[in-house]
Amino acid sequence: MGVVDAGGVELHVERMPARNTAQGATPPTVVFVHGMLVDSLISYYFTLAPVFAASGMDVIMYDLRGHGRSQRLPTGYTVEDFLGDLDALLDGLEVPGPVHLVGNSYGGTVAFGYAALRPDRVASISVIESEPATDAWSRKMAANLERAATEFARPDLHRRLAEEHGPHVTKRVRSASRLLESSTMARDVPASRLMDEEQLRSLRCPVLAIYGSESDLAAQEPWLKSLLAHCRTVVVPDQEHWVLMGATALVSDLVLEWIREHDRAPEAEVDGR
């Protein structure tokens, strides 16, 4: 599709129109939000997006600011900045009605934040190996980004990745290293406005949370269910953080079912348990 001006930030956007829809029917809109640093919309382009479009859903993917082919800014990488980008993007694309957000890793953090910021624009969220921006998340992100800034700049890591995974993965890591070196991301992300448990309890939209059993984020499963009124959690056996790639078909089925179940469902009828 190309580049969209989202409130002064140029975002690379790809759109797959719904196929196989009934005449006169309005297809649900699904917005895919990818993870941080080494991720981009490509993670969805070759996995979930084609399946969802073929299932009769209007699919929107975009590269987060600083990532992929979107504009790389020297500063402005708090969660609030990413939420503003998403809001402006939906305005720019003139997307009607509430959307279903699907977020992988940091993309899920954006989905949680946007559901709290704009409940009128969110029909449901599905998060994959993700968590909301809480105080614990902020401390973890500070440590992870500091470590990534050091590790990603190591030439020996680039050589090993090239040998084991090929040039594509190496290119992503080098790009992430340049982003951390040339921007304030490592400081901005942990300094984001955070959500407390009261704000999480106030979320109105249904939430599907998918985790890998071998990931440390799987421990969030009972906590989320205790806070969210309309939440379903799934722990996928023998998977770590990259469950989107390791169990693509299962993740696709789970999210498709969730969206179909909750597309334009009246709030009083929503039951995610």
Side-chain angles (χ1 to χ4, degrees):
M1 180 175 179
V3 174
V4 172
D5 185 336
V9 181
E10 294 183 347
L11 299 180
H12 171 224
V13 180
E14 295 291 340
R15 197 164 188 171
M16 292 186 181
R19 305 198 303 272
N20 306 317
T21 57
Q23 187 173 4
T26 301
T29 300
V30 184
V31 181
F32 289 102
V33 191
H34 66 76
M36 185 181 288
L37 292 180
V38 296
D39 208 0
S40 71
L41 66 77
I42 291 295
S43 295
Y44 293 118
Y45 195 89
F46 295 109
T47 56
L48 305 187
V51 178
F52 281 57
S55 299
M57 300 183 184
D58 185 18
V59 170
I60 297 171
M61 299 162 282
Y62 70 103
D63 284 329
L64 297 171
R65 60 167 61 199
H67 295 71
R69 293 159 67 183
S70 287
Q71 185 176 0
R72 180 169 293 181
L73 304 170
T75 189
Y77 291 94
T78 65
V79 172
E80 303 93 89
D81 293 312
F82 289 101
L83 300 185
D85 291 348
L86 176 54
D87 205 41
L89 177 65
L90 295 179
D91 285 341
L93 295 176
E94 298 181 344
V95 176
V99 301
H100 300 272
L101 294 177
V102 180
N104 181 48
S105 193
Y106 180 70
T109 304
V110 173
F112 275 117
Y114 195 70
L117 177 70
R118 292 298 307 268
D120 57 309
R121 297 192 92 165
V122 180
S124 76
I125 66 174
S126 300
V127 299
I128 307 160
E129 272 291 303
S130 184
E131 58 188 313
T134 63
D135 183 63
W137 169 89
S138 175
R139 293 194 300 272
K140 180 167 63 176
M141 292 301 295
N144 288 348
L145 288 167
E146 182 180 1
R147 182 168 59 251
T150 301
E151 292 294 313
F152 286 2
R154 289 169 43 201
D156 60 315
L157 173 65
H158 299 166
R159 288 193 295 270
R160 179 167 59 82
L161 289 174
E163 293 171 357
E164 297 178 1
H165 302 286
H168 181 65
V169 173
T170 309
K171 182 179 178 181
R172 285 194 179 193
V173 170
R174 283 178 172 157
S175 178
S177 179
R178 288 193 297 270
L179 175 60
L180 290 170
E181 289 175 358
S182 64
S183 76
T184 58
M185 173 179 276
R187 297 194 300 274
D188 290 353
V189 172
S192 299
R193 187 179 302 123
L194 304 178
M195 300 180 69
D196 57 26
E197 291 193 350
E198 182 178 354
Q199 289 172 303
L200 285 169
R201 287 192 184 95
S202 70
L203 289 181
R204 300 205 309 258
C205 70
V207 177
L208 170 67
I210 302 172
Y211 298 104
S213 65
E214 307 310 303
S215 166
D216 60 351
L217 288 177
Q220 300 243 358
E221 186 254 352
W223 175 71
L224 276 181
K225 289 191 74 172
S226 72
L227 290 175
L228 302 177
H230 310 300
C231 179
R232 179 180 299 159
T233 58
V234 178
V235 178
V236 183
D238 304 318
Q239 292 293 323
E240 298 182 358
H241 185 60
W242 295 107
V243 64
L244 173 61
M245 300 302 179
T248 301
L250 176 60
V251 170
S252 179
D253 289 345
L254 289 168
V255 178
L256 273 173
E257 178 187 4
W258 188 250
I259 291 174
R260 286 169 175 156
E261 182 179 344
H262 296 98
D263 185 48
R264 294 181 179 83
E267 185 175 348
E269 294 179 8
V270 173
D271 182 9
R273 296 193 186 270

